[in-house]
Amino acid sequence: MTRVLAYRFSAFGDVAMTAPVFREFLEQNPDVEIVMVSRKNFESLFADIPNVIFKGINLDDYKGFFGLNRLANELIKEFKPDLIANLHDVIRTKILDKIYRRKGLKVFKINKGKEEKERLTDIWNLNKVQLKKTVERYADVFREMGFEVNLSHQLRPTSNNKSGIGFAPFAQHQGKMLPLEKSYELARILAQKQKVYFFGGGKKETETLERWEREIPNTYSLSGKLSLAEELNKISELELMISMDSANMHLASLMGTRCISIWGSTHPYAGFLGFGQSEDDVVQIEDLTCRPCSVFGDKECYRGDWACLEELDIQKIVEKI
């Protein structure tokens, strides 16, 4: 049994994207085991994948070089890995890589395609092309180790009883989020025909979604009510998820649920479309030459009017259903 120690500590959606890759990689390489080191609260993402051992840590316990050195030693002592997979490639994980190399371990890291992404998000570059999908970039790390990995890019429904529509109207950054009045109007239209479940988190989002639940018949807010495991289970039972380019799209992918995704300043070209999700279910304004101006949606709008979201017609979303 070859044991791979993998780490990715970042945003929820990025970590969620590793899970379907692990599943297919391990099915094709049953003599491999992955120890996934990430934030404690992400454990449920990997719960049902055979041959994955999840190690949740609190990064505040391992600050600075000495903290990371202690973490590296603890992980070696506990898991005795054969190979190291850095699926993050930021300063923190570069330091871990160095420590592991000094100990004689072979380290393989993701190529995030930074320069290509900078070209893609240059608003003066009018020749935009599809970049490699992030899930393929994760798979490349295992291919470099010498393993065969062929990703299916197919959804795998985990539940047969599907009903209702999930709607996650929030995202971490403004550049990814439909204006709330548009989302409210969309929820109103959807709820006329189907039960609509709202997904969100945090105090402000929960308050907003509970207000929507009171005002729009046939809707129900799940915000702040479920653990991650319960949320995944609910998503698996939905007929459809509607999400911004954010974590809920990736959770839908993980549970094999079709997702209509809404894109503003970001673009599927950067490689972050949910695993197995269809290009046909992407809703975006095609003819804005400034798009995408950002990989993560965290930049200010250089036009100042957020046309990529303000001008998006919600009828386009309704038609996809």
Side-chain angles (χ1 to χ4, degrees):
M1 195 60 118
T2 304
R3 183 173 275 182
V4 178
L5 180 73
Y7 32 80
R8 172 113 212 183
F9 303 118
S10 62
F12 191 28
D14 296 328
V15 176
M17 285 178 95
T18 64
V21 178
F22 287 4
R23 180 179 282 128
E24 295 197 356
F25 164 60
L26 292 167
E27 282 170 358
Q28 293 163 32
N29 298 274
D31 52 347
V32 179
E33 195 171 51
I34 294 176
V35 175
M36 178 58 168
V37 186
S38 193
R39 296 175 190 267
K40 275 192 174 120
N41 46 331
F42 297 164
E43 183 162 9
S44 298
L45 298 173
F46 304 92
D48 65 336
I49 307 174
N51 284 8
V52 172
I53 299 166
F54 184 83
K55 174 71 175 174
I57 62 162
N58 181 351
L59 288 166
D60 291 341
D61 297 341
Y62 301 100
K63 283 187 173 158
F65 175 79
F66 294 107
L68 289 169
N69 194 43
R70 195 173 83 249
L71 174 63
N73 287 328
E74 284 174 15
L75 293 172
I76 284 185
K77 196 174 165 192
E78 187 173 351
F79 299 110
K80 304 180 179 58
D82 302 298
L83 300 162
I84 306 293
N86 176 355
L87 304 177
H88 200 167
D89 198 27
V90 290
I91 289 172
R92 184 184 274 131
T93 62
K94 286 180 199 287
I95 293 169
L96 285 173
D97 291 354
K98 242 182 187 150
I99 296 165
Y100 285 127
R101 283 198 190 98
R102 281 201 189 134
K103 295 181 181 298
L105 282 158
K106 275 194 166 173
V107 176
F108 300 83
K109 70 172 182 177
I110 189 171
N111 170 9
K112 293 203 281 199
K114 269 199 165 142
E115 283 169 17
E116 309 160 68
K117 286 175 182 170
E118 270 168 30
R119 259 200 315 279
L120 177 69
T121 52
D122 175 357
I123 54 174
W124 306 112
N125 164 22
L126 300 182
N127 183 25
K128 314 276 192 185
V129 292
Q130 175 70 54
L131 303 184
K132 182 179 280 200
K133 292 180 170 174
T134 302
V135 286
E136 289 289 351
R137 292 185 189 275
Y138 286 145
D140 280 345
V141 179
F142 299 111
R143 291 178 186 126
E144 257 184 66
M145 293 175 177
F147 297 108
E148 281 231 355
V149 196
N150 295 304
L151 297 181
S152 70
H153 297 286
Q154 297 294 316
L155 288 177
R156 295 191 192 185
T158 53
S159 168
N160 301 323
N161 296 343
K162 287 183 169 279
S163 70
I165 292 178
F167 184 26
F170 293 98
Q172 198 179 352
H173 303 293
Q174 187 181 349
K176 287 183 174 190
M177 206 169 104
L178 208 55
L180 279 182
E181 56 276 14
K182 281 184 190 261
S183 286
Y184 181 87
E185 187 55 27
L186 176 61
R188 233 174 42 80
I189 294 168
L190 297 174
Q192 286 165 12
K193 290 187 177 169
Q194 292 239 40
K195 177 92 177 186
V196 176
Y197 296 93
F198 297 132
F199 289 81
K203 190 168 178 282
K204 258 181 96 171
E205 292 182 15
T206 301
E207 282 171 7
T208 301
L209 294 175
E210 283 177 354
R211 192 183 79 243
W212 290 12
E213 178 191 356
R214 288 193 299 274
E215 293 172 5
I216 308 171
N218 210 21
T219 63
Y220 183 66
S221 173
L222 297 168
S223 184
K225 292 178 183 166
L226 305 179
S227 66
L228 177 55
E230 290 166 335
E231 191 171 321
L232 287 167
N233 189 47
K234 183 62 199 173
I235 291 171
S236 75
E237 294 167 354
L238 294 170
E239 206 171 308
L240 172 73
M241 173 63 99
I242 298 174
S243 170
M244 308 301 127
D245 160 27
S246 67
N248 281 285
M249 168 176 61
H250 302 300
L251 298 185
S253 283
L254 193 54
M255 304 319 288
T257 295
R258 176 186 163 216
C259 180
I260 292 175
S261 53
I262 299 158
W263 302 68
S265 66
T266 61
H267 197 291
Y269 277 1
F272 291 100
L273 184 62
F275 184 89
Q277 299 296 346
S278 165
E279 308 270 338
D280 295 337
D281 285 331
V282 168
V283 179
Q284 57 187 343
I285 295 182
E286 303 279 359
D287 51 5
L288 267 177
T289 54
C290 54
R291 286 189 63 239
C293 63
S294 170
V295 174
F296 304 112
D298 52 350
K299 289 183 184 164
E300 275 301 309
C301 173
Y302 98 104
R303 290 168 47 129
D305 63 356
W306 299 103
C308 55
L309 292 157
E310 291 289 345
E311 291 176 17
L312 204 136
D313 182 1
I314 56 171
Q315 210 45 48
K316 281 171 86 173
I317 303 163
V318 177
E319 282 160 16
K320 298 272 184 201
I321 298 167

